[in-house]
Amino acid sequence: MNEQLPATLLDASLWTGKLFSGEWRLGTAEVNIVEPATGGSLGRIGMADAGLIGEAAAIARQAQVEWSALHHEERAAIIRRAARLAEHYFDEIVGWLIRESGSTQGKAAFEASVNSRLLHECTGLPSRSAGEVLPSVPGRLSLARRRPLGVVGVISPFNFPLCLAMRAVAPALALGNAVVLKPDPRTAVCGGFVVARLFELAGLPAGVLHVLPGDGAAGAALTADPNVAMIQFTGSTAAGRKVGEAAGRHLKKVSLELGGKNSLIVLDDADLDIAVANTAWGAYLHQGQICMASGRVLVQRSLYPRFVEKLVEKVKGMAVGDPATGNVHIGPLINAVQRDHAAKVVADARQAGARLEIGGNYRDLFFEPTVLSEVTPDNPAFNEEIFGPVAVVTPFDSDDDAVELANRTEYGLSMAVISSDVGRALRIGERLRTGMLHINDQTVNDEVINPFGGFGASGNGTSIGGPANLEEFTQWQWVTVKSEAPMYPF
């Protein structure tokens, strides 16, 4: 980029003790940002209460009117500039993802690159066809057109903090909405302030975007605010149920992207080494803190003993440590609550009859990559979302058994089948109740051009991303035009 830019995207003097509401301002309280790997402080951020949420939503509603009225190329140019800025500050963004969210270097680099690609993809949204001409009676023009919703409230999680915030913020803005983003306070810098700063430097008009870290009360205020037309929530199923209930009570459109207990099915004709590699990636990427993680590994019985043996060998070669100091496979979990949850599920699984093949211990927030075998369908580890680096391995006999076991869950996010017979794998896939299906891959897959979503306890059947964005972040308006008004009989 030719113009003079700040040396750093996030100079601490800009955001310390503050949040973003069209400008950097003090919050109603301050909290410490903790580096999971070391326990050290990364700085202090401002927090928003219900009053500040309401104030921001009112400002956003006013600002949205002018923003949506801008020529589509003006909106596209701002999104395009934000994408170039994301590329310019790539290394700094990666550094924040590593230190604040505990991401390994590879995961952080991938997330930062997805962020840039997502922004580039959204530059085409402002110029998309906004509707269609409908059949009508002679003398009347009938149109159906997509219109911005107004203010979109986005509540984003800690695990892929930047990507899962930007995948809602960018398309919502591109389609003419204003946005109030409430990032998880544990990752408010990489998952919130990066977003604010990119769009601030890109020239987004003040008031169109607000980034307000806050607790559950702030989220509840956002969901209830009359100036907010839609809530896009990504997080746990338990929290999502509350958000969905509140949004429905206030007659808001709501998109819920929730948890998953995703099955990776390994058939008896699969290449063993490939199957083990896919399992390790799907179960241990980002310490298993991914809604799409391969939470169940269902292995056909004839392959099962050798599979478990090879998976244990794979785990023995995985490095655990501070991702800021080396290229490790497993970094820290986000906090002690998540660590203790993973430890409890492992302990309960063993008590229920599962075999601990390797791992199960932790030091500080570093949880060892773990393999549990002989996990039966009534075992807690088979049913609970662990959100930790734990591979849960269960044998099955027939293809019908695999389908039955995979579908034995309230979740329906992502599933995968590995086989040398693609036709067989597809026949199994057709019977799986899941929002996303991958043949000859593991369950953790997402790109900026695909509709992402699940059903059941994994969401409310909505999707965002790719072709789903236009539908999700706009609403239909029917317009008719006559050359002159008719005279009605009464």
Side-chain angles (χ1 to χ4, degrees):
M1 302 181 73
N2 296 326
E3 66 270 30
Q4 187 68 34
L5 292 173
T8 61
L9 179 68
L10 291 166
D11 189 285
S13 63
L14 184 73
W15 55 267
T16 297
K18 299 177 183 176
L19 40 69
F20 185 77
S21 192
E23 60 182 5
W24 295 95
R25 54 174 291 184
L26 294 174
T28 52
E30 287 188 19
V31 298
N32 198 35
I33 297 296
V34 177
E35 183 175 16
T38 65
S41 174
L42 296 172
R44 297 183 66 79
I45 62 165
M47 294 278 280
D49 62 5
L52 216 164
I53 292 285
E55 180 183 330
I59 293 170
R61 185 171 183 178
Q62 291 183 336
Q64 185 271 333
V65 176
E66 291 188 12
W67 170 244
S68 64
L70 281 179
H71 190 280
H72 65 83
E73 180 51 37
E74 292 184 64
R75 277 188 276 125
I78 289 173
I79 306 292
R80 193 176 300 118
R81 179 168 162 78
R84 294 197 301 267
L85 287 163
E87 293 166 346
H88 180 80
Y89 292 109
F90 181 87
D91 290 342
E92 183 181 349
I93 293 170
V94 168
W96 272 106
L97 286 165
I98 290 171
R99 297 190 65 196
E100 190 181 25
S101 74
S103 298
T104 61
Q105 294 180 11
K107 182 265 186 185
F110 173 76
E111 184 172 357
S113 66
V114 168
N115 177 64
S116 299
R117 294 202 303 271
L118 195 155
L119 284 162
H120 279 296
E121 181 69 18
C122 286
T123 60
L125 284 174
S127 58
R128 285 280 299 275
S129 173
E132 54 188 275
V133 179
L134 304 175
S136 189
V137 299
R140 184 175 75 166
L141 180 64
S142 180
L143 307 170
R145 62 178 182 173
R146 305 295 307 188
R147 302 292 290 165
L149 293 162
V151 179
V152 175
V154 177
I155 303 174
S156 58
F158 72 85
N159 55 335
F160 271 71
L162 177 57
C163 180
L164 297 185
M166 191 66 85
R167 74 171 180 179
V169 171
L173 290 175
L175 290 166
N177 299 285
V179 174
V180 179
L181 167 64
K182 191 195 85 65
D184 191 306
R186 292 170 291 187
T187 50
V189 179
C190 62
F193 293 171
V194 166
V195 177
R197 192 71 172 129
L198 290 175
F199 281 110
E200 181 186 32
L201 291 176
L204 185 72
V208 176
L209 172 64
H210 304 254
V211 178
L212 308 177
D215 58 14
L222 185 62
T223 305
D225 195 281
N227 288 308
V228 176
M230 173 188 174
I231 296 292
Q232 198 291 310
F233 173 85
T234 303
S236 71
T237 296
R241 292 184 194 276
K242 296 177 182 178
V243 170
E245 180 183 357
R249 187 165 59 249
H250 294 284
L251 301 180
K252 298 184 189 301
K253 187 173 185 178
V254 61
S255 165
L256 301 175
E257 301 296 339
L258 309 177
K261 190 66 176 178
N262 314 290
S263 290
L264 169 59
I265 299 172
V266 179
L267 299 180
D268 54 6
D269 59 2
D271 181 285
L272 189 57
D273 291 331
I274 290 175
V276 168
N278 275 262
T279 298
W281 184 265
Y284 302 128
L285 179 64
H286 196 42
Q287 297 75 261
Q289 298 174 123
I290 304 175
C291 59
M292 296 174 287
S294 301
R296 297 171 173 171
V297 186
L298 309 179
V299 183
Q300 201 141 23
R301 199 172 298 276
S302 62
L303 202 64
Y304 182 81
R306 289 180 294 147
F307 177 91
V308 172
E309 181 182 347
K310 277 189 170 286
L311 182 59
V312 170
E313 288 300 314
K314 171 77 74 172
V315 168
K316 287 179 180 178
M318 298 182 75
V320 180
D322 183 350
T325 61
N327 193 15
V328 299
H329 301 98
I330 305 289
L333 293 175
I334 190 66
N335 60 17
V337 173
Q338 190 55 48
R339 178 202 65 200
D340 293 345
H341 171 72
K344 183 179 186 303
V345 175
V346 171
D348 291 347
R350 296 182 68 186
Q351 188 172 359
R355 179 176 175 179
L356 181 64
E357 298 282 352
I358 191 171
N361 299 311
Y362 61 82
R363 175 184 55 81
D364 298 326
L365 297 182
F366 296 95
F367 201 99
E368 295 175 346
T370 300
V371 177
L372 292 172
S373 66
E374 304 301 329
V375 179
T376 56
D378 59 349
N379 193 296
F382 188 86
N383 296 293
E384 292 187 36
E385 186 179 25
I386 302 175
F387 240 56
V390 182
V392 175
V393 190
T394 298
F396 68 88
D397 293 306
S398 68
D399 292 6
D400 288 344
D401 293 334
V403 171
E404 193 277 330
L405 287 171
N407 285 337
R408 192 184 294 191
T409 177
E410 64 175 346
Y411 296 103
L413 186 57
S414 181
M415 294 192 195
V417 185
I418 296 180
S419 171
S420 61
D421 185 341
V422 174
R424 178 188 178 193
L426 281 169
R427 287 191 295 273
I428 290 174
E430 286 296 316
R431 300 165 62 191
L432 299 177
R433 295 193 297 268
T434 183
M436 295 177 285
L437 173 66
H438 305 291
I439 302 300
N440 281 327
D441 206 339
Q442 42 74 52
T443 56
V444 183
N445 276 281
D446 193 16
E447 297 175 359
V448 299
I449 58 173
N450 63 284
F452 183 102
F455 54 83
S458 292
N460 60 335
T462 63
S463 293
I464 58 175
N469 281 331
L470 184 63
E471 178 75 24
E472 200 62 18
F473 295 109
T474 61
Q475 63 184 14
W476 283 109
Q477 182 186 59
W478 182 37
V479 179
T480 66
V481 180
K482 294 181 178 180
S483 59
E484 57 183 46
M487 177 66 73
Y488 286 97
F490 63 86

